[in-house]
Amino acid sequence: MTMRIHGDKIEFPDGTEQFTASSGGGGEAQPPVAFHSYTTEDIDLAQGVWTPINYNNVTLDTDDSFLDGSYKVKKDGIYQINASAKIALSGLLKKSMMRILVDGNQVRYTHIEQNSNPSDVDTVQAEWVGNVNKDQVISIEVLATSSSGTPRALN
């Protein structure tokens, strides 16, 4: 049995034809957008106040989109954001929080609570995957509280 395929048409041995439908990715493959950055400075955190993390050292930015410590999207698409911060806390009652914002709106929130270790460093992390549109701004903020001392976000 022999079938002939011509573009979107298949010819069967009995002379009948079948046309194929195509679906899928819709166009040419695009290179991925990637970025990586970190902060080079420790930040004193006011107790219980959300504080932006200024990502001032950019090691990878395929779209040249970092702006004042945040990322300004240049292409519509689905983005995966992974963030972490080390928070130095003292005292017995401690809480570290992180949130990912898109245009100032919270899209992901995580927290760590500890009631032991009088002095410690917590690593708080947040991950999010979602649709982001051109010109929207992605930013990261942290908040910390402790029973004594001033919390610090460490570089």
Side-chain angles (χ1 to χ4, degrees):
M1 178 163 138
T2 303
M3 294 185 295
R4 292 186 178 171
I5 301 173
H6 303 281
D8 62 352
K9 180 173 72 170
I10 302 172
E11 293 178 4
F12 292 95
D14 65 359
T16 60
E17 298 175 343
Q18 175 78 39
F19 289 89
T20 62
S22 64
S23 64
E28 298 176 20
Q30 299 295 316
V33 174
F35 54 91
H36 179 267
S37 65
Y38 61 93
T39 184
T40 60
E41 56 196 21
D42 291 350
I43 303 167
D44 285 334
L45 305 173
Q47 292 272 0
V49 175
W50 285 107
T51 305
I53 298 294
N54 178 19
Y55 291 97
N56 62 351
N57 191 341
V58 180
T59 58
L60 174 66
D61 184 2
T62 60
D63 276 355
D64 193 30
S65 295
F66 265 87
L67 174 70
D68 299 326
S70 298
Y71 183 83
K72 185 172 182 178
V73 174
K74 289 191 178 176
K75 295 179 185 176
D76 291 353
I78 297 173
Y79 284 72
Q80 177 178 339
I81 308 299
N82 302 303
S84 66
K86 293 184 289 187
I87 309 292
L89 300 162
S90 59
L92 295 177
L93 301 173
K94 302 179 288 186
K95 186 183 290 188
S96 302
M97 294 169 252
M98 174 178 276
R99 65 183 180 180
I100 299 172
L101 305 162
V102 175
D103 276 353
N105 298 307
Q106 179 176 299
V107 295
R108 182 72 170 126
Y109 163 84
T110 59
H111 74 278
I112 299 172
E113 293 187 46
Q114 290 187 357
N115 296 320
S116 60
N117 273 344
S119 179
D120 208 354
V121 175
D122 290 340
T123 299
V124 62
Q125 301 177 54
E127 295 92 21
W128 176 74
V129 176
N131 284 309
V132 186
N133 298 318
K134 181 180 178 189
D135 295 329
Q136 288 187 304
V137 176
I138 300 168
S139 57
I140 310 295
E141 293 180 344
V142 294
L143 179 146
T145 60
S146 66
S147 60
S148 64
T150 301
R152 290 178 68 84
L154 305 175
N155 69 13

